[in-house]
Amino acid sequence: MASSPWDYIAKLVCIGDSGCGKSSLTIRLCEGRFSPHHDVTIGVEFGSRIVPVGPPHTKPAPSNPSPDGLPDPPRDTSNTPQKHMKLSLWDTAGQETYKSVTRSYFRGASGALLVFDLSRKQTFQHVTDWLNDLRQIAEPDIVVILVGNKADLTQQEENKREVTREEAESWAKRNGVMEYVETSAKSGENVEKAFMRVAERIYQNIQAGKYDLNDRRSGVKGPGAGGSRQVRLASDANKNSGGGCC
C-alpha cells in the first residue's frame, strides 16, 4: 500500500462577513485561479491543499548580509526529511442567516483565517464579533490570522481602502491574533503566505506537543486517520477530476 502523501492533516476555517472574498481565497489557493462571479456560500464549502512545513522548507532567519545586501543562503538541511501537511479548508457562510450553522463548523479547527474587506470598513468592525464566536467554540490553542482581502482595490488609481494597515495591525495585537496579512484573491498577492503562516504555526505547535493527534477535537491528525482522500470544493463536486487542489 502506498504511503500517505501527508504527515499531518489540519482543519482550517475561513470566517468573516459575506462578500469579503473567503471563497475566492480558497479557490485561489486550491486551484490557482480567480473567479469574479461566485455564488454566495450556503453553510460551508470545502477545499484542500497539501503544503510543505518545517525544515528544510522553512528557511532560517537571515544572518549577516553579504556585500551585495542579500541575506546568506539557507543552511543545508537536506538530511532533514520534508514534512507535509494537508490543509482541510472549510469556507463558511458569512451571512447572519447562517451564523448559527456556521458556528458549528468551528469545532475541531486548529487554524482560522479571519477575513475582512479592505474596501468596506463595516466588515472590519465585525471581526471582533467573529473572533469572539470562534473563541467560544474552538479549542483554546487555535491559530488565528487576520486577513485584509481585496488589496488590489487599494492599489488602483481610485484607492478604495477604508481600513489602514496600522488599524488592522493594532487590532490584531490587542486581540492576541498571530499576524495581519493583506491579500488579493484576484492577483494572488500574499494568498499562499496567509495560509502558510497558519500551517507553519500549527506545525510548531505539533512539535511542541500541543495536540493529541488521535483526538478529533484537536483539529490535527496524523497519517493514520482519514487516509489520503482529496477533498474538493463543493461547487466542483459534479465536475470530472482534473486539476485538483493539490
Side-chain angles (χ1 to χ4, degrees):
M1 180 180 294
S3 61
S4 171
W6 47 267
D7 300 282
Y8 310 102
I9 181 169
K11 175 182 175 180
L12 272 60
V13 292
C14 290
I15 64 175
D17 282 4
S18 181
C20 290
K22 299 186 299 297
S23 297
S24 295
L25 288 170
T26 302
I27 293 172
R28 169 63 76 175
L29 182 77
C30 291
E31 302 182 10
R33 65 181 178 87
F34 174 71
S35 176
H37 305 292
H38 185 82
D39 293 336
V40 173
T41 302
I42 298 176
V44 67
E45 293 183 358
F46 304 95
S48 73
R49 179 166 168 181
I50 297 175
V51 299
V53 290
H57 166 74
T58 304
K59 294 179 175 57
S63 55
N64 296 327
S66 58
D68 57 7
L70 297 175
D72 291 338
R75 295 188 300 270
D76 180 12
T77 55
S78 56
N79 292 328
T80 305
Q82 180 67 71
K83 298 294 186 181
H84 291 85
M85 181 180 292
K86 179 177 177 181
L87 305 180
S88 177
L89 309 174
W90 295 51
D91 166 29
T92 64
Q95 293 173 297
E96 187 69 32
T97 309
Y98 304 114
K99 223 173 182 186
S100 60
V101 176
T102 299
R103 289 191 189 98
S104 66
Y105 299 120
F106 297 168
R107 292 186 180 88
S110 54
L113 278 78
L114 179 50
V115 185
F116 71 94
D117 182 344
L118 284 164
S119 67
R120 290 193 291 148
K121 182 81 173 232
Q122 186 179 36
T123 64
F124 175 67
Q125 294 169 336
H126 292 162
V127 295
T128 301
D129 294 334
W130 283 104
L131 182 63
N132 289 339
D133 287 346
L134 179 70
R135 286 179 167 164
Q136 285 176 11
I137 297 171
E139 294 301 300
D141 286 331
I142 188 168
V143 177
V144 184
I145 191 169
L146 180 66
V147 177
N149 193 35
K150 304 190 182 180
D152 53 286
L153 297 180
T154 72
Q155 298 158 2
Q156 298 173 356
E157 188 173 340
E158 63 282 6
N159 189 334
K160 297 183 179 179
R161 179 187 288 272
E162 292 188 359
V163 181
T164 67
R165 180 182 291 274
E166 291 72 23
E167 281 181 283
E169 289 178 343
S170 175
W171 182 93
K173 185 176 293 186
R174 289 196 314 271
N175 289 276
V177 169
M178 181 179 79
E179 190 175 340
Y180 170 61
V181 178
E182 293 190 349
T183 63
S184 168
K186 185 174 183 178
S187 69
E189 177 185 356
N190 287 337
V191 173
E192 287 203 6
K193 175 184 177 180
F195 285 94
M196 285 302 300
R197 290 292 291 145
V198 176
E200 286 289 349
R201 178 57 65 88
I202 292 172
Y203 176 73
Q204 292 170 11
N205 288 346
I206 292 172
Q207 298 304 297
K210 291 188 176 182
Y211 305 116
D212 179 353
L213 300 183
N214 296 313
D215 186 348
R216 295 184 60 179
R217 292 173 298 180
S218 73
V220 180
K221 302 180 183 67
S228 59
R229 181 176 61 87
Q230 296 297 319
V231 182
R232 292 178 296 163
L233 292 177
S235 57
D236 291 341
N238 296 322
K239 293 183 181 179
N240 294 327
S241 58
C245 290
C246 310

